Amino acid sequence: MEQLISIVMPTYNRAHIISGAIESILCQSYVSWELIVVDDRSTDHTEEAIREWMRKDVLIRYVRNEREKGPGGARNTGMLAARGEYLAFLDSDDEWYPCHLTDSMRTHALTKADISFALWVERHGDITSYYFDNEVERYWLHSMRTTFETWNDGVTIVFEKGLFEAFLSHTRNFFQLNTMVFRRELLEEVGLINEHFYLGEDTTYLLRFFDKYRIALQTKPHAVYHESPDSLYFFCDRWQLDPDTIHLNEEIYIKIEGLSFKSIKVREHIRDLVAQSDSVSKKAKQLSYIDIGIASKYYTLSYLNRYNRKKALHYCRQSLRYKVSIFNLFLFVKLLFSSKSGNAFLHRALNFW
């Protein structure tokens, strides 16, 4: 008999697109599941949309938070309401391939893993991209296959120790909450998601499992990550942002500034984990990389605020505090002399991500 998987789907004002996510669950070849849709106090007709689905399938449940808790808090509500032996997550604007749950449970049985992950594709409008076939990603996958245990002719890579350091070293993230399937009993040891992280709450949660449990990574795509216009990350095409030629409207700037602060908070948390870790062999190098990332966030905020000299200098000093570079030094001097013009050289170091 198949073990029950509780699928947690947090949502907020996604009534217009949530059907795609739900339909991808209904198409799963694995049939022993329950879906818990957690509404983080939506103001649209999300509840009506979900209750319509509930009339079609008794495996779907609806829970509404008593207060807004953010994505991490919504997932916590779902995990606490779960009845299954296993837990899985799917965001309300994303989708799974029909094989996801079947292949994941088969991987658990084959490798005796506590947790499984898989890769994914990204879709922006009508364009679907699979970034794990690029040269850099292929290099890191090959490196992991030669370093760690493999199953199924190398399709699955299994980690017990060393995953945290590998995660820190990679220029690409191979682990996503939307492809995670794990035994619910692990919650007694790992706990719930930290609700104080409104961005990166998924990554900080995954790190709690690294090097503590047996983890299997299936190196084929199981999910579709939609870059929707109302997503936390893709509210605009940040690759095209050019503050030297295009004035950023206040709404976009406020979002970029808010996300930068949240990103810095997560990076500082990971920095603390590295500093406290006994398993990271090149600790000084990893701490330096994290400091460079934090410095680049403050540097970008400083550059964007160069017309507000006091604010820009504050951010630039923060950047220098984490990592001195030719970019933030040059910017600091320009700001001291009240130079507000753009600069092609300084523009190269901007980090909108």
Side-chain angles (χ1 to χ4, degrees):
M1 183 177 177
E2 292 183 338
Q3 293 173 292
L4 180 64
I5 302 175
S6 294
I7 305 162
V8 176
M9 181 180 292
T11 191
Y12 178 76
N13 287 351
R14 290 278 174 76
H16 60 296
I17 57 174
I18 196 171
S19 291
I22 294 175
E23 287 173 353
S24 78
I25 294 172
L26 295 174
C27 289
Q28 291 296 301
S29 56
Y30 191 92
V31 298
S32 182
W33 54 263
E34 64 168 355
L35 170 60
I36 307 167
V37 180
V38 183
D39 185 351
D40 200 34
R41 299 195 67 79
S42 295
T43 56
D44 65 357
H45 59 285
T46 291
E47 181 172 356
E48 292 84 349
I50 301 307
R51 294 204 180 280
E52 180 64 29
W53 278 106
M54 292 169 64
R55 285 190 282 271
K56 298 176 184 178
D57 199 311
V58 296
L59 300 178
I60 300 173
R61 298 162 57 195
Y62 173 83
V63 179
R64 182 176 171 86
N65 278 338
E66 295 179 358
R67 60 178 175 83
E68 282 191 33
K69 297 182 178 182
R75 293 187 182 103
N76 287 342
T77 297
M79 287 193 284
L80 291 172
R83 302 165 180 159
E85 292 91 349
Y86 283 79
L87 284 168
F89 304 96
L90 181 62
D91 288 347
S92 56
D93 59 340
D94 295 328
E95 299 170 27
W96 281 338
Y97 288 174
C99 66
H100 173 54
L101 294 180
T102 294
D103 285 2
S104 297
M105 294 303 288
R106 185 180 295 132
T107 295
H108 278 262
L110 177 67
T111 65
K112 306 303 180 186
D114 301 299
I115 306 125
S116 67
F117 292 92
L119 302 182
W120 63 91
V121 302
E122 298 182 12
R123 185 173 295 160
H124 187 80
D126 296 329
I127 301 174
T128 300
S129 304
Y130 181 61
Y131 294 109
F132 296 101
D133 202 29
N134 295 334
E135 182 178 355
V136 173
E137 285 71 20
R138 289 201 307 269
Y139 167 79
W140 285 118
L141 285 170
H142 174 74
S143 175
M144 288 190 288
R145 287 188 179 102
T146 56
T147 304
F148 299 97
E149 181 183 342
T150 60
W151 290 74
N152 197 17
D153 294 327
V155 172
T156 302
I157 306 170
V158 177
F159 311 84
E160 290 201 30
K161 298 292 182 181
L163 181 52
F164 181 45
E165 185 156 21
F167 168 84
L168 295 170
S169 302
H170 295 164
T171 54
R172 171 74 172 181
N173 180 26
F174 295 89
F175 301 90
Q176 189 191 68
L177 198 67
N178 270 351
T179 69
M180 183 186 194
V181 179
F182 69 103
R183 292 187 292 108
R184 185 164 62 94
E185 63 187 40
L186 298 185
L187 290 180
E188 297 177 8
E189 300 173 3
V190 176
L192 299 173
I193 297 171
N194 188 332
E195 297 180 15
H196 296 292
F197 292 118
Y198 197 80
L199 176 146
E201 80 291 338
D202 48 355
T203 299
T204 58
Y205 190 59
L206 299 186
L207 294 180
R208 295 193 210 168
F209 296 85
F210 290 3
D211 295 348
K212 297 177 182 177
Y213 301 99
R214 188 168 171 83
I215 297 174
L217 172 64
Q218 302 159 92
T219 59
K220 63 177 185 177
H222 278 201
V224 180
Y225 178 74
H226 285 273
E227 300 175 357
S228 53
D230 64 341
S231 74
L232 187 62
Y233 298 96
F234 297 99
F235 51 84
C236 68
D237 189 349
R238 281 185 271 175
W239 291 111
Q240 302 300 319
L241 288 180
D242 185 353
D244 290 344
T245 60
I246 302 174
H247 178 69
L248 300 184
N249 66 53
E250 185 177 3
E251 181 183 359
I252 289 181
Y253 170 74
I254 289 172
K255 286 185 176 181
I256 289 174
E257 185 178 49
L259 287 176
S260 296
F261 291 148
K262 293 178 176 69
S263 175
I264 288 168
K265 185 176 180 179
V266 169
R267 291 168 190 252
E268 289 176 336
H269 173 74
I270 294 175
R271 193 188 195 285
D272 290 340
L273 294 179
V274 173
Q276 298 164 12
S277 174
D278 296 326
S279 61
V280 178
S281 60
K282 300 177 181 178
K283 187 175 292 190
K285 185 177 181 180
Q286 297 297 348
L287 291 173
S288 178
Y289 285 153
I290 295 170
D291 287 344
I292 290 172
I294 296 174
S296 75
K297 288 291 184 182
Y298 279 120
Y299 169 84
T300 301
L301 290 175
S302 178
Y303 191 88
L304 292 178
N305 282 282
R306 62 190 186 279
Y307 293 98
N308 182 338
R309 184 167 174 266
K310 182 178 180 180
K311 194 173 184 181
L313 280 170
H314 167 72
Y315 285 139
C316 201
R317 289 190 185 98
Q318 291 291 87
S319 178
L320 288 163
R321 182 167 70 89
Y322 277 95
K323 200 72 175 182
V324 175
S325 73
I326 189 171
F327 295 103
N328 52 23
L329 276 175
F330 186 14
L331 178 59
F332 189 73
V333 172
K334 275 178 64 66
L335 293 170
L336 285 177
F337 287 95
S338 300
S339 176
K340 300 177 181 178
S341 61
N343 182 279
F345 173 72
L346 294 177
H347 186 274
R348 289 163 51 190
L350 296 179
N351 177 9
F352 292 111
W353 294 92

